[in-house]
Amino acid sequence: MRENSKAALHEATAFLERKIPFTPSTGIILGTGLSSLGETIAVKTSIPYQEIPFFPVSTVESHTGNLVFGLWKEHEVVVLEGRVHYYEGYTLQEVTFPIRIMRALGISTLVITNAAGGLDPGFSAGELMVITDHINLIGDNPLRGPNAESLGDRFPSMHESYCPQLIQKTEDAARERGIVLRKGVYVAVPGPSLETPAETRFLRMIGADAVGMSTVPEVIVAVHAGIKVLGLSIIANVNRPETLAPAPLEGVIAVVKKAKPNLVNLLEGFLDRL
Ligand code: HPA
């Protein structure tokens, strides 16, 4: 059975529905280095990915792998603690299976976070960026193949993939809480190799402000499924073509850990407005 088949979706959803205490309204995906929201969320149920039928399990150490159901500021949320990536060898259907599951469980809003490399030379490491649009350079699409009309349209419009109202709420929260918030276009590359100076120059030239190896397939499936999306990047490093330096994973994680309180603060302000 294929992990993205209707039967797999049905089995995983039925398994979770037997375990969960409520119907979540909002999904949250935690990116590299964020691993959990810790004390901020009143956890009701936490389910290791390994226990969920057909759920993809991350091979990257920085992504732990629990599906958490809890209350955050009175909102019933489901949190993906860690995700899988295309560069790990998964298909984009596998990568986005958790989005289909969260949709089947009832979410209508999805907050996607990631660690990204900054391409706008005005950015600084540790800053937050709200994603306004994206460019898919992965060279693949999670919707490739037969379309299940019950899940969404064959040719979903991507003209407003990142919900303007959710972006506005995030900007309002940032202003209220004194958090520096950048805005920009995220470009997804397949990875796992990082960009060359020429690629960095190219990505900037085509209009990207940040680069990473996730998020875009998840957004495509969320839009296909009729979910409103908010995308937030933690700028882990800033890539300047002339002075490009290594961006080792430990460095990325260290910056993300430092930026996490700001991200949590921003999300709390966002949830207040939801
Ligand atoms: N490039 C691609 N992905 C990334 C980077 C980067 O510089 N930093 C964090 N994720």
Side-chain angles (χ1 to χ4, degrees):
M1 178 157 56
R2 283 181 55 177
E3 65 296 318
N4 60 329
S5 72
K6 270 190 178 171
L9 191 57
H10 183 77
E11 189 175 330
T13 306
F15 169 86
L16 289 167
E17 276 172 343
R18 285 194 294 273
K19 296 200 172 246
I20 62 177
F22 52 70
T23 300
S25 57
T26 303
I28 301 172
I29 302 180
L30 298 181
T32 302
L34 288 169
S35 68
S36 89
L37 287 169
E39 307 292 291
T40 46
I41 174 163
V43 175
K44 301 282 179 199
T45 310
S46 175
I47 306 164
Y49 292 164
Q50 293 97 308
E51 291 181 13
I52 307 169
F54 305 101
F55 217 81
V57 177
S58 176
T59 60
V60 186
E61 262 177 64
S62 52
H63 294 260
T64 53
N66 292 298
L67 194 62
V68 171
F69 294 83
L71 284 180
W72 194 10
K73 303 223 93 188
E74 274 108 61
H75 292 273
E76 291 169 332
V77 299
V78 52
V79 184
L80 273 170
E81 292 186 342
R83 57 153 69 85
V84 301
H85 301 80
Y86 189 64
Y87 64 73
E88 294 176 72
Y90 295 99
T91 65
L92 288 186
Q93 284 78 19
E94 289 170 313
V95 165
T96 54
F97 185 66
I99 313 294
R100 295 282 184 215
I101 298 286
M102 289 192 287
R103 179 69 181 131
L105 292 176
I107 70 159
S108 54
T109 302
L110 179 62
V111 178
I112 305 186
T113 69
N114 61 51
L119 296 168
D120 181 332
F123 287 1
S124 302
E127 286 181 339
L128 304 177
M129 183 188 92
V130 62
I131 305 174
T132 54
D133 202 349
H134 75 220
I135 300 171
N136 180 14
L137 288 190
I138 292 181
D140 197 353
N141 192 299
L143 304 180
R144 183 169 173 271
N147 184 55
E149 288 293 329
S150 59
L151 297 180
D153 291 343
R154 170 73 292 187
F155 300 108
S157 170
M158 299 296 290
H159 79 286
E160 226 169 49
S161 310
Y162 299 83
C163 175
Q165 288 81 21
L166 299 186
I167 293 173
Q168 187 61 54
K169 288 181 200 301
T170 309
E171 290 191 280
D172 292 345
R175 204 170 307 112
E176 173 194 74
R177 292 169 183 240
I179 299 166
V180 175
L181 181 66
R182 305 295 191 169
K183 270 171 98 168
V185 174
Y186 176 96
V187 60
V189 294
S193 52
L194 291 160
E195 300 73 45
T196 64
E199 286 164 347
T200 303
R201 211 172 287 117
F202 166 74
L203 296 177
R204 183 68 187 142
M205 210 180 277
I206 62 170
D209 300 295
V211 54
M213 302 170 189
S214 68
T215 302
V216 165
E218 295 155 355
V219 173
I220 292 171
V221 168
V223 169
H224 182 249
I227 300 170
K228 283 184 285 179
V229 174
L230 175 72
L232 289 170
S233 293
I234 295 178
I235 304 301
N237 47 286
V238 180
N239 299 337
R240 294 180 179 86
E242 313 317 325
T243 56
L244 200 59
L249 181 61
E250 309 80 64
V252 167
I253 291 172
V255 174
V256 168
K257 287 224 149 70
K258 267 180 92 173
K260 184 174 161 180
N262 257 352
L263 179 73
V264 169
N265 190 6
L266 182 65
L267 285 177
E268 292 194 334
F270 167 77
L271 288 175
D272 280 343
R273 289 168 167 77
L274 207 56

